[in-house]
Amino acid sequence: MDGNDSLLSSASKESTDARNNHKEAEKRRRQRINAHLSTLRTLLPFTTKSDKASLLAEVVRQVKQLRDDVAKQGVDTWRFPSELDEMTLTCDDDNKLMIKATICYEDRPGLNRELDRAIESVRARTVQAEMMTVGGRTKSVMMMELSGVGDCERDNKEKKEVIGDLKRTLKDVMDNGAPSSRSGRVFGWCKRARIFQ
């Protein structure tokens, strides 16, 4: 019987320990929630009710109001960089030799120069550019004009090649910091090594 008693006391002790661990974890979770609710109370002006449901309802109302205010002011949130590296190229319907490139990437020194060289390497030139950097992320929206590509239907193949080369070259800049010479059109690219002491 002593063996059974020790098994029961061991199982009882384990369940008591598990229950105590659960109680402590729940207590810490409630403390974190209450601390965040206290922070919300200090951030909101004129909070009259202090219960959690009323507080959260007021936070939702304030966030919606802020979102509406931003929309009324015409702030273009699309200009802000996203968290992901991405790139899109679109052709201008009115002018077949214009290409719009939108690129989001991690900011680094010399990146504008690298982008400019990459664009020039595929016989294009930037005619308009907008950039925004927030928290180490950059979003560039560039309008580029293709040069050396005719306007005829037979030159459509060459235009597609140049657009493909541009896409690969810009992607290489985003990925590696220097375009590759896969297209055969990138010449004289030299990325200088930076040495910090």
Side-chain angles (χ1 to χ4, degrees), residues 22-40:
H22 179 69
K23 284 181 183 178
E24 287 298 316
E26 279 297 310
K27 182 178 178 182
R28 286 190 303 271
R29 185 183 69 80
R30 285 191 307 272
Q31 287 172 340
R32 277 195 331 268
I33 290 170
N34 288 332
H36 290 304
L37 289 171
S38 294
T39 302
L40 283 175

Side-chain angles (χ1 to χ4, degrees), residues 25-91:
E26 279 297 310
K27 182 178 178 182
R28 286 190 303 271
R29 185 183 69 80
R30 285 191 307 272
Q31 287 172 340
R32 277 195 331 268
I33 290 170
N34 288 332
H36 290 304
L37 289 171
S38 294
T39 302
L40 283 175
R41 281 187 190 94
T42 62
L43 293 174
L44 291 177
F46 313 115
T47 52
T48 56
K49 293 185 177 180
S50 62
D51 65 294
K52 294 174 185 179
S54 298
L55 177 66
L56 291 175
E58 180 63 19
V59 167
V60 169
R61 190 189 70 72
Q62 289 279 337
V63 168
K64 286 180 179 179
Q65 180 66 42
L66 288 171
R67 187 181 58 202
D68 292 344
D69 290 348
V70 167
K72 287 177 187 173
Q73 292 175 1
V75 175
D76 295 325
T77 55
W78 62 267
R79 294 181 188 214
F80 292 100
S82 66
E83 293 294 318
L84 301 173
D85 288 351
E86 56 190 2
M87 174 182 55
T88 59
L89 291 177
T90 54
C91 292

Side-chain angles (χ1 to χ4, degrees), residues 4 6 59 64 66 76 80 93 96 99 138 180 186 195:
N4 286 340
S6 66
V59 167
K64 286 180 179 179
L66 288 171
D76 295 325
F80 292 100
D93 291 334
K96 301 296 184 194
I99 297 175
T138 298
S180 71
V186 181
I195 301 171

Side-chain angles (χ1 to χ4, degrees), residues 87-193:
M87 174 182 55
T88 59
L89 291 177
T90 54
C91 292
D92 188 348
D93 291 334
D94 297 331
N95 184 347
K96 301 296 184 194
L97 299 179
M98 295 296 287
I99 297 175
K100 178 181 179 180
T102 305
I103 309 170
C104 288
Y105 46 85
E106 191 74 28
D107 192 29
R108 64 178 180 268
L111 187 60
N112 292 336
R113 182 174 19 97
E114 293 171 11
L115 288 172
D116 191 42
R117 284 184 177 170
I119 292 166
E120 287 175 357
S121 73
V122 294
R123 299 181 307 181
R125 70 180 185 94
T126 305
V127 293
Q128 181 182 355
E130 294 180 17
M131 294 182 165
M132 178 175 282
T133 301
V134 177
R137 301 281 305 162
T138 298
K139 182 172 190 173
S140 298
V141 180
M142 299 172 285
M143 288 299 294
M144 295 170 280
E145 182 178 49
L146 299 178
S147 58
V149 178
D151 208 9
C152 305
E153 193 64 36
R154 64 181 167 78
D155 292 326
N156 210 14
K157 181 182 174 191
E158 185 179 4
K159 180 181 175 184
K160 286 181 182 178
E161 286 178 12
V162 170
I163 292 171
D165 290 345
L166 178 63
K167 189 171 189 173
R168 282 187 295 277
T169 305
L170 291 176
K171 183 166 177 19
D172 285 344
V173 170
M174 288 172 54
D175 293 345
N176 310 326
S180 71
S181 56
R182 284 182 284 195
S183 66
R185 296 178 187 240
V186 181
F187 300 105
W189 188 271
C190 176
K191 180 159 172 130
R192 194 174 45 162

